[in-house]
Amino acid sequence: MAVRPSHPGAEQFLPDTRSLDALRSAAARCRGCDLYENAAQTVFGRGPGEARLMLVGEQPGDVEDTEGKAFVGPAGRLLDRAVGDAGLRETATYVTNAVKHFRWKGARGGKRRIHEKPSAGQSAACRPWLAAELAAVRPTVLVALGATAAGSLFGPAFRVTQQRGTMLPWPPEKGDFAGDPTPIQAALATVHPSAVLRARDEDRAEAYDGLVRDLRAAAEGLR
Ligand code: URA
Ligand code: SF4
């Protein structure tokens, strides 16, 4: 079943010039879906334009929303460590998210903002930014972190639990990126670093090792 376009989408906010700088400034004004209303700012991707590795997360978290930078909170710190342990510390890397605004709900009576997964419609609305980043950076290897990113990149039928760590052809056969012309050598999906943080104490080391293993498999695509 097709996802009903419940949002206008980001397409009309894309600039004529598609450099990362131009995209970042234009994205700051995006109103392609309702998520801009309750978030502090657009959190665009970060990293060098000539990055060979692109990591795609779900959406900015609380810290990212406040600071305006992708993956600078607890999940970002864990991801940094995993990237290092996978031998990718020296690899020029671009990090971004499938959705550029923080979706959250308030705890009853409290001040804490609780993360809420973006909907398929919001993910679809934001996809033009991700597609434009992919076209501007043209990475050699592309990694989806978690189900939201994997769904946006490889189509809604993709299952991270079953297909994680497996090198995938690019473009994918299904989804909105089918036929995408970016010459990517290897694409792969793995778990989200937040899932490692959320794992039970006794499962966390194994979850972390799994993330590192998958990132190491992605590194093979850089050779
Ligand atoms: N989780 C994400 O998916 N992205 C971020 O930038 C931070 C946390
Ligand atoms: Fe635009 Fe994406 Fe933010 Fe929605 S989440 S307003 S599509 S940048």
Side-chain angles (χ1 to χ4, degrees), residues 3-218:
V3 175
R4 197 168 52 87
S6 49
H7 307 283
E11 197 66 54
Q12 60 183 301
F13 298 91
L14 259 66
D16 294 338
T17 313
R18 297 293 173 90
S19 68
L20 283 177
D21 283 348
L23 289 166
R24 189 176 293 108
S25 330
R29 295 182 294 274
C30 184
R31 295 184 163 208
C33 76
D34 55 337
L35 289 183
Y36 76 91
E37 292 171 11
N38 290 326
Q41 56 191 314
T42 307
V43 178
F44 206 68
R46 64 181 170 90
E50 62 282 358
R52 296 192 63 210
L53 174 65
M54 184 160 153
L55 304 175
V56 183
E58 181 192 75
Q59 64 169 351
D62 191 304
V63 180
E64 288 79 12
D65 178 66
T66 306
E67 296 192 16
K69 293 199 191 95
F71 279 113
V72 290
R77 278 195 296 279
L78 186 129
L79 180 61
D80 260 2
R81 186 154 68 84
V83 162
D85 287 345
L88 290 162
R89 174 84 58 224
E90 307 300 323
T91 304
T93 302
Y94 185 87
V95 289
T96 190
N97 288 297
V99 170
K100 273 36 173 185
H101 274 108
F102 178 35
R103 185 182 194 196
W104 59 277
K105 60 183 178 212
R108 205 170 297 159
K111 291 203 186 101
R112 223 163 72 80
R113 301 189 297 175
I114 298 168
H115 163 276
E116 220 182 351
K117 199 170 131 60
S119 71
Q122 288 158 340
S123 202
C126 211
R127 198 176 288 114
W129 293 120
L130 183 58
E133 285 174 298
L134 200 58
V137 177
R138 294 165 64 89
T140 307
V141 171
L142 174 66
V143 176
L145 302 165
T148 299
S152 188
L153 289 165
F154 306 122
F158 189 88
R159 291 290 166 266
V160 173
T161 43
Q162 286 158 33
Q163 289 166 277
R164 66 173 293 184
T166 309
M167 289 279 203
L168 305 160
W170 191 266
E173 274 177 22
K174 300 212 174 91
D176 282 11
F177 280 102
D180 180 77
T182 317
I184 289 168
Q185 264 169 38
L188 175 153
T190 186
V191 294
H192 193 285
S194 294
V196 177
L197 292 174
R198 277 197 313 270
R200 290 183 304 182
D201 285 353
E202 60 269 37
D203 298 331
R204 196 163 306 120
E206 196 184 325
Y208 178 77
D209 291 347
L211 173 60
V212 172
R213 198 183 322 117
D214 291 348
L215 289 171
R216 216 174 263 136

